Amino acid sequence: MTSGTHTAPAGRGLPLRVLTGLLAAVLALLAAVTVCPGPHDASAARPAAAPIRLPARPDASAPAALRADHPAPAVGRPHAASRSAARPVTHHTARTIRLRPGDTLWSLARRYGTTVAALQHTNHLGTSSLIYAGGRLNVPASARPAAGPGSGHPRRHHAAPAAPGAAAAVAFARRQLGLPYRWGGSGDGAYDCSGLVQAAWRAAGVMLPRTTAAQARAGVRIARSQLRPGDLVFTAGYGHVQLYAGQGRVIEAAHPGTRVRTASLPPASLVDGYRRPAALHRIIQATDHRPTAPAAVPVTARAAAPTAGSVRAAAAGVFGSQYACAAYIIARESAWKTTAANPASGAYGLAQALPGSKMARYGSDWRTNPVTQLRWMRAYVTTRYGGACAAWAFWQTHHWY
C-alpha cells in the first residue's frame, strides 16, 4: 500500500545535517570579519598608547626621598606625584646638589641660606634628617648660597682688611716651621695646634685663649671668602686650628710625629668655622701708669755700678718697641735691681733667671752687667712667648713667666 508522502531514507539524513551546520559556521565567520576591523586598520579604531618609560635604577647609596630624579610620591595624591616624577621640577627647586661626606641638613641650610624645614619639605623628608653622601638633594629656589667652593653661586662679601698685627702673627708662625709637635706645647721648642696660634698672635700683641675650643669662641666669625692672613681655620669638629697664611695656605702644628708646617687650606666641606682675632683685647691696654721709655742713650757692653736710670736706658735699647712690656715685668720681678736674688728659689737678676747661671751664655759678667741680663731676658721671652708683650700678658694671669 503506498502513500503520497516520500520519506528520505535514514542513511541519507545525516550528511544533510552536517552540511547545514558547516554552512552556518561559514556564514557566522563571514559576519564577524565584516563587523570587526582587521589588524591593518586597528590604529584608526583607537588612539596610540603613550610609550612606557622605565625609570633608571636609583642610586642605592641615597634614600628614596633624596633621589632627585625620582622623588617620593606624596601620601594621598598618587596621580600628582606620578606627574611630578615624569617631568623635571622647574618651579619648586632652583638646583640639585650632590651630597658630600660630612654634609648635614643643618650645615647645608647654613650654606645655602635656607632652613632645615625647607630642605625637608622640598625633598619630602617629613621630619627625618637622614641623608647620605653620594645622594642628591633639592635646594629651594629661595635659597641664597653662602660663599665657598661647591656652594653654587657664592654670595659676595666686601673685602675686609686683615686683623691688626696679622702680619706679625704670620711672620712669627713662619719662624717656627720645622719645630716638633708636642701636645700642650706653647713654645720653648715645640707646639701643639692651639699653642702655635696663641704664640703667633701673642707676638703681635694680642692674647688669644689657650685651647682650640676657647679660640673658636673668640674673635669675629667670618666667611671663607673673607679669609685674610692671620685668620683662624677650625677643623675636626673644632678640635684642630690652623693659622691662615694667605694664597690658600695655612700654618699648623698638626699632630704627634709631625713638625710645624705649611699645608693647603682644607676644603670648605671639612672646615667647621673661620675666626678673625680682630675684636680680641690687646695685651697692652691704655693706662696712665704705663712706663715711659727714657731718652735713648748709648748702651755699653759693661755698666759698672748701674743706676736705675741707666738700667732703664739699657732696657730701652735692648727691647725697643716692646720696652714698656719688659719694664712691667722687671719692675715686679726685681724692682730694677741688677743683683736682686731670691734666697728661696735661687732666681737672680733683673729678670730673675732661674738659675741665674743661665745668663752666663751671654757674658761672664752676668751677675753685675744689666745689658748681659737684659739680652738673656729678651732671648728668653722671644723663644718662650714670642716677645716681651706676650710674656707680660702671661705674667698678668699667672704672676710669673
Side-chain angles (χ1 to χ4, degrees):
M1 188 173 174
T2 61
S3 64
T5 303
H6 296 280
T7 305
R12 295 179 59 185
L14 179 61
L16 182 59
R17 289 194 297 270
V18 171
L19 291 174
T20 302
L22 290 175
L23 180 59
V26 170
L27 292 175
L29 179 63
L30 290 176
V33 171
T34 303
V35 173
C36 299
H40 63 280
D41 61 356
S43 60
R46 64 177 181 268
I52 299 175
R53 300 180 182 272
L54 294 179
R57 184 172 181 173
D59 187 350
S61 64
L66 296 186
R67 296 166 194 155
D69 295 336
H70 311 284
V75 177
R77 299 179 61 190
H79 300 291
S82 300
R83 287 195 299 271
S84 65
R87 63 174 181 269
V89 179
T90 56
H91 299 291
H92 300 290
T93 58
R95 68 185 66 83
T96 300
I97 63 171
R98 176 73 68 174
L99 296 172
R100 298 172 297 182
D103 280 345
T104 64
L105 289 184
W106 181 81
S107 65
L108 292 170
R110 290 189 59 193
R111 184 184 305 167
Y112 289 96
T114 184
T115 64
V116 171
L119 290 174
Q120 290 172 326
H121 176 75
T122 303
N123 293 276
H124 309 285
L125 291 176
T127 59
S128 174
S129 60
L130 183 63
I131 58 177
Y132 294 108
R136 295 178 180 176
L137 191 78
N138 292 329
V139 179
S142 60
R144 294 293 181 266
S151 60
H153 304 287
R155 181 186 301 169
R156 298 192 177 188
H157 297 275
H158 295 293
V170 173
F172 175 89
R174 290 189 185 281
R175 291 196 297 269
Q176 314 313 306
L177 293 174
L179 292 180
Y181 177 98
R182 185 179 70 220
W183 187 83
S186 58
D188 199 16
Y191 294 95
D192 63 10
C193 65
S194 57
L196 174 65
V197 168
Q198 184 191 47
W201 271 102
R202 202 165 47 201
V206 174
M207 190 62 185
L208 289 177
R210 175 62 182 87
T211 66
T212 304
Q215 290 174 3
R217 295 191 295 268
V220 178
R221 180 181 299 170
I222 58 173
R224 187 180 180 93
S225 64
Q226 295 175 308
L227 275 174
R228 297 292 180 269
D231 292 339
L232 311 185
V233 180
F234 295 90
T235 60
Y238 286 99
H240 182 57
V241 61
Q242 303 164 315
L243 187 74
Y244 185 62
Q247 303 299 316
R249 306 290 291 176
V250 295
I251 302 175
E252 65 173 352
H255 53 77
T258 63
R259 295 181 177 272
V260 177
R261 65 190 184 187
T262 61
S264 298
L265 176 67
S269 60
L270 299 180
V271 176
D272 301 304
Y274 311 90
R275 288 277 178 171
R276 176 164 298 163
L280 299 182
H281 68 279
R282 298 193 67 79
I283 290 174
I284 301 302
Q285 304 290 352
T287 173
D288 294 335
H289 305 290
R290 180 177 300 179
T292 302
V297 296
V299 179
T300 59
R302 296 182 62 89
T307 63
S310 64
V311 173
R312 290 176 183 271
V318 170
F319 285 96
S321 62
Q322 296 207 8
Y323 163 77
C325 302
Y328 279 126
I329 297 174
I330 295 171
R332 287 158 177 78
E333 291 289 323
S334 64
W336 294 97
K337 295 179 181 178
T338 307
T339 57
N342 187 322
S345 65
Y348 185 87
L350 293 170
Q352 290 292 280
L354 181 65
S357 57
K358 286 182 177 180
M359 297 183 288
R361 62 182 299 184
Y362 290 90
S364 58
D365 56 353
W366 58 271
R367 292 180 179 83
T368 57
N369 190 344
V371 175
T372 300
Q373 296 182 6
L374 291 166
R375 286 175 176 169
W376 173 86
M377 179 184 176
R378 181 181 63 184
Y380 172 75
V381 297
T382 300
T383 301
R384 185 173 181 84
Y385 299 100
C389 289
W392 169 236
F394 184 90
W395 195 101
Q396 292 178 83
T397 303
H398 302 87
H399 301 290
W400 59 272
Y401 77 111

